[in-house]
Every structure is written in C-alpha cells, then in structure tokens.
Amino acid sequence: MHISEGILSFPVLLSGWVYTGGGLFWTLKKLSANDIPKMALLAAVFFVASLIHVPLGPSSVHLLLNGLIGVLLGSLALPTLFISLFLQAILFQFGGITVLGINTLLMSLPAILAGVLFKLKPSSLWGGILSGFAVLGSGVIAALVLSFSGEAFLQVAKLILIAHLPIAIIETIIGYFTLLFIFKTKPELILNNLGSKS
Amino acid sequence: MLKKAIFTIILILGLTALASAHRVNIFCFVEGKKISCEANYPSGDKVKHGTINLKEAETQKTLASKKTDLEGKASFEITQDILARKKDLEAEVLAGMGHRNTWTIPYSDLNAESSEISSKENTGSNTSLPWESNTSTPASATSVDKQELEMLISKIMDKKLHPVLEKLTLLQERKISLPDILAGLGYILGLMGISFYFLAKKNEK
C-alpha cells in the first residue's frame, strides 16, 4: 500500500510531510536507548515484509505488519515505519520521496491506534485482531488521501479494503502467533512498553 | 507450543508467494504505426484492466487512453495529430490504489514513422496516375520500386523486430536484488548505531 509519486496533489503531499515531521520530532524526543534495538529489528521486519505479496485483480498487495509494529512499539511505530518506507523508496522504488510523508502517515496512524488499544487489553488474541484492523485502517486512510486528489472515495475504499482483506486475515494470524510467542518467551518486551508512555 | 507457532508463521509466509513486489512498471516501444505498451509488477504479474494514458510529456495533456488487456498490454495508433505536435510523449499507467508509473517515448522514435507515412503519400500520388508512370522515364520507375521495396522491408522488419524490441524494453526493468535487501538491512543497523552514539553523547552531558 504505497502511493506512487505523481498521483497526489501538492497540498496533500505537503501536509503529509508536515504531520510526519511533527510526529518524528515528538516521538524521537522521548526516545530511550532500550527502544532502539527493538525499533531497528521491527524496521527490518517491515522493510522485508513488503516483499511478500499476493497478486489480486489489477493490483497486488503485500504484507504490511504495521499493526503488529504498533502493538509492540506504540507511538515509536512512526519513526520506525518512516525509516523502513524511506529505504523501500530509495532501494525498491516503492512509493517515493515526495509521498514519503503521506505513506508514513497512512501506515503509522492505524499502527499507533492499535498500540493504544492494545494497552487496554494486552492479550495475544486482541493484539492479533488489532494487527489485522490496522491494515484495513491504512486502506481507509489511503482511500481518503486518494479521494483528495480526485478519485471517488467509496469506490477506491471498497477496492482497497477488498484487496487487503486477505492480508488483514493473514496479519491477524501472524500477529496472534507472534504475540503468543513473545508472551511465552519474553513478556517484558511487551510489558515494558505498556508501562511507558504511549 | 513455540515450535508450533514458528512452524505456523513459516507456513503462512510460505503460502503467500514470495516475490519482488510493489511498484508498477510500464514499458513502451514504437513499432510500425503504433505504440505498444505493457504494464506489469516486478513479480511478473500483469496489470490487468489498468489504465494507460498517452500524454504529451511537456504539457501533460492526455491524447489517448486505453485499458490494458489480460496480458497487461495496450497499443495506441500513431495519428497524424500526434505526429504534428512534434513533441515527446509519455505513457502513464494507473494500476489502481495509488499505483502509477510513466515511460517516455521520444519524438525521434515516432519520427521514423512519419517519414514512412510521407513516403507512402509520395507513392500514392505516383500510383494514382498510372498513365504517367507508363510514360515516365525508367529512372522514376525504379524510384517507385525503391519506395515500395523500402516500405515492404520496413514492414517485414517491424514484424521480425517486434519480439526483440519487446524483450529489449522489458530488459530495462530494474529488479529488486539481494544486494538491495541487504543494503536496506545494513542501513537500519547503521542508523541504530548512529542513534546509540547520539544518545550516549546526550547522556554524557
């Protein structure tokens, strides 16, 4: 779900960068040394996950894992996803530099929301469900952004949601098992995060 | 339990096709009187029913628009209107959900076609007056033959060169390679090191 360059209008691109820039400044200010290896690991996971894709209709969809990253990192998902998306843009030509702001927002907003909701009920099943819903959330934001630049919102939203439904289901399962694994082996990875600020 | 979880994750990842996705490619080449375009994803999947717009590169004015077939292909006729513009063209593919890419077709590529059309016009004027060709000198008769021969050769060449052109164009695709992936992971590690460095410096103060 990377929006390519040349589709969005300038005001949309600019506001994407402004919000992403503000978010980066705010989240990086409270960065602690303990978060960095976790962020780097998950950035690498997100970077590589986009290579696993499923062809669907005229388009093709790939694993996002943004929900899981949000559940594990909270608001630090924003800088993590920003770095991965930046590397994907320069190395794989997914998306692009001008749309990086918007692409970061559409991936990280549902991720951060998933992180906040996960704190209410930290269980692997709930985390899995949130991981799936974050994918759909990104789809809705993508449709909204595209609608600002001319495409009919409902039509695009329907198309994106249908296309990402299989991915959402797969990510729910992946999220569930990953969290189950972490809860059994290294629960402090999640619990530490729950104790800190969002 | 852990083994089960890891096994399940590997199984799920295995079920979804591993490929180098998520950007859309478009390739175009001029053959004869048409511009052939093909759109695909880096994984090799074709862009089915995607839209290809033929635009004037400078002004971004859409001259023609077509949907791709099941093989991700669409072709446009080179009309006199397009030739008269004497401008480079740009083919734009819109594959839905925010996927877009472009391919530039220089005017020089179309130019070869224009000379063919003009030579055809010359031939046409010659053949429309058969009595003249009867009375004409042997020199002009050979020039008509020459033009016809040229057209015939160029037609055959177009036909023969089509697969070669198609392959050459598709070869320009930049595929995602292992070094790209490793570079990305390396950058992430590097950034981690840099952040540690700055955090340590901050703590020192």
Side-chain angles (χ1 to χ4, degrees):
Chain A
M1 206 184 307
H2 299 74
I3 295 177
S4 306
E5 286 195 269
I7 285 190
L8 301 176
S9 56
F10 180 70
V12 178
L13 293 174
L14 186 70
S15 45
W17 268 108
V18 168
Y19 286 117
T20 299
L24 282 175
F25 182 72
W26 179 66
T27 49
L28 289 179
K29 248 174 67 176
K30 54 174 191 174
L31 188 69
S32 81
N34 286 337
D35 296 320
I36 295 173
K38 214 159 72 171
M39 281 172 70
L41 181 72
L42 289 169
V45 168
F46 182 86
F47 176 72
V48 177
S50 65
L51 297 177
I52 300 168
H53 89 132
V54 183
L56 220 117
S59 205
S60 83
V61 286
H62 56 85
L63 284 187
L64 300 175
L65 297 180
N66 61 335
L68 184 63
I69 291 170
V71 163
L72 293 173
L73 287 178
S75 60
L76 287 174
L78 188 118
T80 307
L81 293 172
F82 174 80
I83 289 166
S84 299
L85 286 167
F86 172 70
L87 290 171
Q88 285 178 348
I90 56 166
L91 292 168
F92 301 163
Q93 285 84 46
F94 291 178
I97 298 299
T98 58
V99 277
L100 187 59
I102 280 289
N103 279 336
T104 306
L105 277 188
L106 72 89
M107 291 286 178
S108 56
L109 287 183
I112 294 170
L113 186 67
V116 171
L117 293 176
F118 181 70
K119 280 187 178 177
L120 301 177
K121 189 176 178 288
S123 77
S124 35
L125 182 65
W126 178 232
I129 292 169
L130 287 172
S131 303
F133 270 102
V135 172
L136 300 179
S138 291
V140 173
I141 298 177
L144 196 70
V145 167
L146 288 171
S147 74
F148 288 143
S149 301
E151 292 199 45
F153 172 69
L154 280 178
Q155 208 182 334
V156 184
K158 214 169 96 183
L159 200 72
I160 293 183
L161 288 184
I162 291 171
H164 285 83
L165 204 60
I167 293 293
I169 294 167
I170 291 170
E171 294 209 5
T172 305
I173 300 167
I174 292 178
Y176 169 69
F177 279 107
T178 309
L179 291 171
L180 200 68
F181 178 76
I182 295 172
F183 269 122
K184 292 254 175 189
T185 53
K186 211 171 166 46
E188 61 269 26
L189 205 69
I190 297 172
L191 299 175
N192 283 355
N193 189 39
L194 295 180
S196 70
K197 292 169 278 173
S198 65
Chain B
M1 188 64 214
L2 290 180
K3 274 183 187 168
K4 254 189 192 171
I6 295 167
F7 175 74
T8 317
I9 291 172
I10 292 169
L11 191 73
I12 292 163
L13 295 182
L15 283 176
T16 54
L18 183 73
S20 50
H22 210 84
R23 137 186 117 221
V24 62
N25 293 323
I26 179 167
F27 308 97
C28 295
F29 56 91
V30 180
E31 49 157 354
K33 289 171 206 161
K34 59 182 187 178
I35 299 167
S36 297
C37 293
E38 191 174 334
N40 65 10
Y41 295 101
S43 57
D45 297 321
K46 309 294 180 197
V47 178
K48 296 164 192 161
H49 309 300
T51 307
I52 295 183
N53 294 323
L54 194 64
K55 290 177 167 183
E56 205 178 279
E58 248 178 57
T59 55
Q60 289 293 305
K61 190 183 162 203
T62 306
L63 305 172
S65 182
K66 275 195 178 162
K67 291 257 174 207
T68 54
D69 58 14
L70 291 175
E71 296 210 318
K73 291 178 181 172
S75 59
F76 298 90
E77 291 286 324
I78 302 175
T79 59
Q80 284 295 348
D81 174 50
I82 291 174
L83 283 174
R85 288 171 187 271
K86 294 193 177 178
K87 292 272 165 64
D88 293 348
L89 298 180
E90 188 181 85
E92 173 193 51
V93 62
L94 297 170
M97 292 189 242
H99 292 129
R100 174 189 178 271
N101 209 342
T102 56
W103 179 274
T104 310
I105 306 151
Y107 175 67
S108 55
D109 281 11
L110 304 170
N111 214 10
E113 173 60 19
S114 79
S115 64
E116 193 183 309
I117 285 176
S118 62
S119 73
K120 196 177 164 188
E121 277 165 1
N122 289 341
T123 327
S125 66
N126 279 328
T127 48
S128 65
L129 300 167
W131 57 89
E132 270 186 21
S133 68
N134 285 340
T135 54
S136 62
T137 58
S140 75
T142 48
S143 80
V144 171
D145 286 348
K146 230 184 191 176
Q147 278 166 354
E148 273 180 358
L149 201 65
E150 266 175 19
M151 270 185 67
L152 200 68
I153 290 172
S154 80
K155 230 180 212 175
I156 294 168
M157 289 288 277
D158 281 344
K159 214 172 170 185
K160 295 258 181 199
L161 282 175
H162 175 89
V164 181
L165 276 172
E166 197 173 358
K167 275 214 176 103
L168 267 179
T169 317
L170 288 176
L171 270 178
Q172 294 179 39
E173 178 182 338
R174 192 185 166 280
K175 291 205 164 131
I176 295 165
S177 58
L178 188 64
D180 285 333
I181 300 168
L182 294 178
L185 298 178
Y187 278 120
I188 292 170
L189 271 177
L191 284 169
M192 185 171 92
I194 292 169
S195 355
F196 272 134
Y197 171 75
F198 280 107
L199 270 182
K201 252 189 136 180
K202 207 168 119 188
N203 289 344
E204 266 176 28
K205 279 180 189 171

